[in-house]
Amino acid sequence: MFGLFKKKTEKEKLQEAYAKKLSEAHKVSHVNRTQSDKLMAEAEEIAKKIESLN
């Protein structure tokens, strides 16, 4: 019950953003490879930020 109002840490926010970018990149890859590559690059930048927090 107390976890309902717990704020997400910066790392948790970044992990969600990373997963979302990967999902978007996968969906777009079937239609637009260039856009997919751009999203993958953005996901990699987020992954680097996550690593720097460790």
Side-chain angles (χ1 to χ4, degrees), residues 8 17 20 29 31:
K8 291 183 181 178
K20 186 176 178 183
S29 69
V31 180

Side-chain angles (χ1 to χ4, degrees), residues 14 17-18 21 42-51:
L14 288 172
Y18 178 73
K21 288 286 181 188
E42 291 173 9
E44 286 302 314
E45 287 299 315
I46 294 170
K48 288 177 187 176
K49 290 179 186 176
I50 293 170
E51 281 297 314

Side-chain angles (χ1 to χ4, degrees), residues 13-47:
K13 290 178 188 177
L14 288 172
Q15 287 172 332
E16 283 186 7
Y18 178 73
K20 186 176 178 183
K21 288 286 181 188
L22 286 180
S23 177
E24 287 179 41
H26 179 71
K27 289 177 186 174
V28 173
S29 69
H30 301 290
V31 180
N32 185 340
R33 187 67 192 169
T34 305
Q35 181 67 19
S36 175
D37 290 344
K38 181 178 177 233
L39 289 170
M40 287 297 292
E42 291 173 9
E44 286 302 314
E45 287 299 315
I46 294 170

